[in-house]
Amino acid sequence: MSRTQVHTSKKPVLAGVCVAAVLATAAALVPGSTPAEAAAPAPPPAHADFDYQIGGAYTPPAGVRVVSRDHTASPAAGLYNICYVNAFQAQRGAEDEWDDDLLLRDAAGDIVYDTEWKEALLDLRTADKRERVAEKIGTWIDSCGDKGFQAVEPDNYDSYTRSHKLLDAADAQAFIKLLAERAHADGLAVGQKNTVELAGNRVANGLDFAVAEECGEWDECGDYTAEFGDHVIVIEYTAKGLSKACSGFADTLSIVRRDLDVSPKGSSSYVRETC
């Protein structure tokens, strides 16, 4: 927020008001003219020490400047906070929290699941269903903004690749645009989670930065930076992946290794390493 200027005379203030009024009137009379767009929300600072806490919040290690936490948690005081939302799939065991027709079903009427995480995929095949799902997810995004998060991370953007071809990339992108519009209206930046094959469309889809899991492991970090520049957060889950990510991007990107369950500190499975 800019500081309010202090004037010693009222005359310059009145003159400025008059000029502003004339310019505003003139702009309104020009066909096709529109008011200036609000500034886009700021993405996380590039190459900042990062901690991934979506499995449970805890006091961030010293030096950490950016944290990602679940939308049910509170942001970490004094840091840049990213709000994690499972946007394209229902949480495990939460099928009854969704209208029955919003759960993706195959030709036999059976719910389609992400087999690794046992999560039901959401049905995004029509504009009406996308809008209904987006309205529910949108209330979580609103809550992120109300709590003081600065960005949102909608997970499972790539769920269409696990839908047995019932969903496609166009469905995913139409839906992510709705979420990006909602988040931007709340003043939140929006991160593209994985799905490197759609990174080239990030501007059209309203995505401000990337959260890339295992891009070192799969030699994809450069594909993300080609579209997002240095605004890429890298999470690796193996020593090999961390080593590869650090060897190419330690000086430019935010990189962390976590355990696969993203356990909170103090857990026996907790792992956190950086370059």
Side-chain angles (χ1 to χ4, degrees):
M1 182 178 294
S2 61
R3 296 181 180 177
T4 303
Q5 293 183 342
V6 178
H7 296 277
T8 56
S9 167
K10 293 184 179 180
K11 186 173 182 180
V13 177
L14 294 175
V17 170
C18 292
V19 170
V22 170
L23 292 175
T25 302
L29 295 175
V30 176
S33 65
T34 57
E37 294 184 0
H47 192 222
D49 199 1
F50 170 74
D51 199 17
Y52 207 39
Q53 299 189 2
I54 66 172
Y58 53 89
T59 301
V64 166
R65 296 171 56 201
V66 180
V67 171
S68 185
R69 289 179 171 177
D70 190 76
H71 71 94
T72 59
S74 297
L79 304 182
Y80 188 106
N81 287 267
I82 303 169
C83 193
Y84 172 93
V85 175
N86 191 358
F88 290 76
Q89 300 177 178
Q91 289 291 95
R92 182 183 300 184
E95 292 89 340
D96 60 355
E97 296 178 8
W98 292 89
D99 291 342
D100 191 64
D101 68 319
L102 294 182
L103 300 174
L104 185 67
R105 296 177 182 274
D106 60 20
D110 296 325
I111 296 174
V112 178
Y113 283 89
D114 176 330
T115 55
E116 182 175 0
W117 296 103
K118 312 300 182 186
E119 295 177 350
L121 272 64
L122 299 174
D123 192 345
L124 307 174
R125 289 177 290 184
T126 69
D128 176 69
K129 289 186 176 182
R130 288 192 293 269
E131 289 173 1
R132 288 167 60 200
V133 175
E135 182 56 35
K136 183 178 180 71
I137 301 298
T139 63
W140 302 345
I141 292 174
D142 294 345
S143 175
C144 294
D146 292 341
K147 287 182 177 182
F149 285 88
Q150 288 85 22
V152 64
E153 171 196 347
D155 198 10
N156 292 308
Y157 187 24
D158 60 351
S159 63
Y160 71 92
T161 65
R162 302 183 290 277
S163 71
H164 308 297
K165 298 184 178 181
L166 293 173
L167 299 171
D168 59 26
D171 297 324
Q173 291 179 98
F175 182 63
I176 201 76
K177 288 178 184 177
L178 296 177
L179 301 185
E181 290 172 1
R182 183 72 166 251
H184 287 160
D186 288 334
L188 300 171
V190 186
Q192 173 171 320
K193 182 69 172 289
N194 301 326
T195 327
V196 68
E197 61 271 22
L198 300 182
N201 300 332
R202 70 101 172 171
V203 174
N205 292 331
L207 304 173
D208 307 301
F209 64 100
V211 178
E213 291 178 299
E214 300 190 289
C215 70
E217 183 82 23
W218 299 106
D219 295 320
E220 294 175 338
C221 296
D223 296 326
Y224 286 101
T225 59
E227 303 300 334
F228 291 92
D230 293 344
H231 291 291
V232 179
I233 292 173
V234 178
I235 303 112
E236 298 292 336
Y237 297 108
T238 66
K240 175 186 174 183
L242 179 66
S243 177
K244 290 173 69 175
C246 291
S247 67
F249 301 93
D251 294 334
T252 55
L253 303 184
S254 299
I255 303 173
V256 69
R257 178 190 174 192
R258 290 299 329 269
D259 56 281
L260 190 58
D261 291 328
V262 201
S263 307
K265 191 173 183 179
S267 170
S268 60
S269 58
Y270 172 82
V271 173
R272 183 181 185 273
E273 299 175 12
T274 60
C275 298

